[in-house]
Amino acid sequence: MSTTQRWDLLVLGGGTAGIVAAKTAARLGARVLLVERDRTGGDCLWTGCVPSKALLAAGEAAAGVRRAGRFGVTVDEVRVDFAQVMEHVHGAVRQIAPVDSIEALEAAGVTVRTGHGRFVGEGALDLDGETVRFTQAVVATGAAPAVPPVPGLADLDYLTSDTVWDLTEAPRRVAVLGGGSIGCELGQGLSRLGIEVTIVEGAPRVLPREDASAAAVVHRALESDGVRILTGQSVASVIASDPQSGWLVLDDGDKVAFDRLLVAVGRQPRTTGLGLDTVGVEVDERGFVVVDPRLRTTNPRIWAAGDLTGHPQFTHVAGVHGSLAAGNAVLGVRRAVETSAVPRVTYTHPEVAAVGVDTGRERDGIRILTLDHRHVDRAVTEDHTDGLTRLAVDAKGRILGATVVGPRAGETLGELAIAVRRGLRTRDLAGITHAYPTWNDGPWNAAVADVRTQLDRPATRRALHTLARTRRWWLERRAA
Ligand SMILES: Cc1cc2nc3c(=O)[nH]c(=O)nc-3n(C[C@H](O)[C@H](O)[C@H](O)COP(=O)(O)OP(=O)(O)OC[C@H]3O[C@@H](n4cnc5c(N)ncnc54)[C@H](O)[C@@H]3O)c2cc1C
Ligand SMILES: NC(=O)c1ccc[n+]([C@@H]2O[C@H](COP(=O)([O-])OP(=O)(O)OC[C@H]3O[C@@H](n4cnc5c(N)ncnc54)[C@H](O)[C@@H]3O)[C@@H](O)[C@H]2O)c1
């Protein structure tokens, strides 16, 4: 069956990237059809950001009570009702869902169809047997949990970030394969709810993409929550003792017993079965859609947005992509995606927040300013001094990158993202009055320390002292 209507813009995928693209295009006056195979809202709403942060909030409540003794507040026992925790998690999702619903999209002028979409020729998409015609398209089908080719894994009913939310009872022991963002966030959340968690990470440290000193703080925090962490470990095989439990067998022969295994080793683009080759949309060797800086694919009428592009896989990136791709497609403008100041936050406790260039090492023309949170008064008052702020600055003091580790570091990141994006210098940041005592004192104190170091240079110091002496002489002369 074929419909006669030709849509100005077809959006394939109703996650963050697709929703923002569709709404943007409709607002610009385009006739827009969004095709979603499942439920609108995507991974962020249903299985990603929202449920994971809700789980972390429950874990934080339990951990806060357990640690209250250090403030002189004693609570006899922490009891966790896992089913009620999951009800809180699903409740948070339900509360946010209407914003991304079909009704909300239709109210914004977008037509929504539910079904599996596949490109079948230039300007044509097969939607479960019906041919839909379009002038331009945005592909936004996202990414799915990657599963490594470990012998024995396929025989196990393992969990991923897609399915962990279906748990109704707490498993006694959970092994987590992968110590990246998902492994650390969910590993900590589950552990704080009383589950014995072991994280097995192939790289030499958890959060291997973050500044090593930041990852070390998170490592210590996870261990103090009771998480066992094995880094630099490859898994040779999985032995199942029943459909859901068994052992991970590590390369060195050691075994990790689990009642459930959570696989969290990255996310692969959902680009197979979309007929991309039939419309000349190239994918790279890992399956990501090849895009230019304007998010145009190798077919000039087809754009791509979100997780399937190989750009950082975050909701805020997907949203920016959706808006940019739709604007470029509908208006014919040539906006390029900004990549120098993309913020990222891992919502463990403490949080790791970073933006801009790597703060891990000094290199040509880049100095690293480090401020230990023992020197942040808010950290002292909250008894949470194991954290740090690091700024990467150039010779002129311009802030090129930042990493902050501490409670609510994600909230601190906003001003640092502005600093990096706008090319602000440490003296600009130091010159802004910050409310005391806040966590933002971390970057502010680091910037003030840098300005003081500059003022302490011999030539600057000599000039300032000369100025002060001249002023003293002038004042004394007037008084005489
Ligand atoms: C556990 C977890 C926690 C996360 N936490 C955060 C966080 O705190 N902050 C953050 O910024 N990011 C977080 N992320 C990442 C974030 O969820 C993704 O970056 C974001 O959802 C990507 O949006 P997207 O629109 O590109 O893809 P998706 O949200 O995956 O949407 C793609 C949509 O396309 C649909 N689709 C696929 N194929 C077809 C087809 N053939 N036809 C029709 N529809 C199709 C899918 O059903 C889906 O709805 C997290 C991810 C996970 C897994
Ligand atoms: N707070 C957030 O913004 C947030 C939270 C969760 C997820 N996400 C997004 O989702 C993406 C996927 O998360 P993720 O944690 O699955 O991926 P990730 O890339 O962050 O981490 C995967 C980890 O698994 C390790 N690994 C890979 N293969 C392994 C193996 N065979 N054995 C042991 N370790 C192995 C890697 O070294 C890496 O540290 C993230 O990259 C991020 O973009 C974001």
Side-chain angles (χ1 to χ4, degrees), residues 328-401:
N328 284 348
V330 172
L331 301 178
V333 292
R334 299 163 65 88
R335 281 166 65 212
V337 70
E338 202 283 316
T339 53
S340 68
V342 176
R344 59 183 189 276
V345 181
T346 303
Y347 295 89
T348 42
H349 190 87
E351 294 178 356
V352 180
V355 64
V357 307
D358 171 28
T359 56
R361 62 194 168 86
E362 301 245 330
R363 51 211 183 270
D364 261 2
I366 296 189
R367 291 178 294 131
I368 303 296
L369 314 174
T370 302
L371 185 100
D372 192 300
H373 283 189
R374 278 174 305 178
H375 306 297
V376 174
D377 292 357
R378 183 62 178 270
V380 175
T381 59
E382 294 195 9
D383 190 23
H384 209 300
T385 52
D386 192 8
L388 48 88
T389 298
R390 279 162 82 86
L391 304 181
V393 298
D394 69 8
K396 291 185 171 154
R398 261 196 308 251
I399 301 167
L400 306 179

Side-chain angles (χ1 to χ4, degrees), residues 177-178 180-182 185 201-202 208-209 264-267 313-314 345 347:
L177 192 56
S181 334
I182 295 181
E185 287 186 1
E201 165 59 49
R209 271 183 291 206
V265 297
R267 293 170 60 74
Q313 294 178 321
F314 299 115
V345 181
Y347 295 89

Side-chain angles (χ1 to χ4, degrees), residues 12-18 35-45 47-50 52-53 115-118 140-143 161 165 182 185-186 267 270 273-274 305-308 312-318 345 347:
L12 187 60
T16 305
V35 173
E36 165 59 48
R37 62 176 184 178
D38 189 4
R39 31 186 196 182
T40 53
D43 287 358
C44 179
L45 172 64
T47 56
C49 331
V50 176
S52 59
K53 269 75 254 179
H116 186 282
R118 186 171 53 89
T141 49
S161 57
W165 313 112
I182 295 181
E185 287 186 1
L186 296 192
R267 293 170 60 74
R270 291 192 197 99
L274 298 183
D307 275 11
L308 85 180
Q313 294 178 321
F314 299 115
T315 295
H316 42 282
V317 172
V345 181
Y347 295 89

Side-chain angles (χ1 to χ4, degrees), residues 155-285:
D155 303 328
L156 187 84
D157 178 14
Y158 55 83
L159 298 168
T160 66
S161 57
D162 281 353
T163 54
V164 68
W165 313 112
D166 300 333
L167 286 176
T168 48
E169 282 174 30
R172 186 165 74 82
R173 297 163 306 177
V174 170
V176 182
L177 192 56
S181 334
I182 295 181
C184 288
E185 287 186 1
L186 296 192
Q188 184 177 51
L190 295 173
S191 161
R192 289 178 150 198
L193 295 171
I195 295 169
E196 281 175 40
V197 174
T198 305
I199 295 178
V200 179
E201 165 59 49
R205 56 187 169 86
V206 294
L207 300 179
R209 271 183 291 206
E210 300 300 340
D211 183 319
S213 54
V217 176
V218 172
H219 188 118
R220 285 195 290 278
L222 290 170
E223 285 193 331
S224 87
D225 280 322
V227 178
R228 186 172 163 227
I229 302 174
L230 305 173
T231 53
Q233 293 280 359
S234 303
V235 175
S237 64
V238 177
I239 302 173
S241 53
D242 68 38
Q244 297 184 331
S245 54
W247 296 269
L248 291 178
V249 183
L250 307 181
D251 263 353
D252 61 11
D254 273 359
K255 284 185 186 165
V256 176
F258 60 81
D259 299 306
R260 294 307 303 260
L261 174 67
L262 172 64
V263 176
V265 297
R267 293 170 60 74
Q268 63 187 28
R270 291 192 197 99
T271 48
T272 49
L274 298 183
L276 293 177
D277 50 338
T278 64
V279 283
V281 171
E282 246 178 61
V283 297
D284 69 15
E285 65 289 349

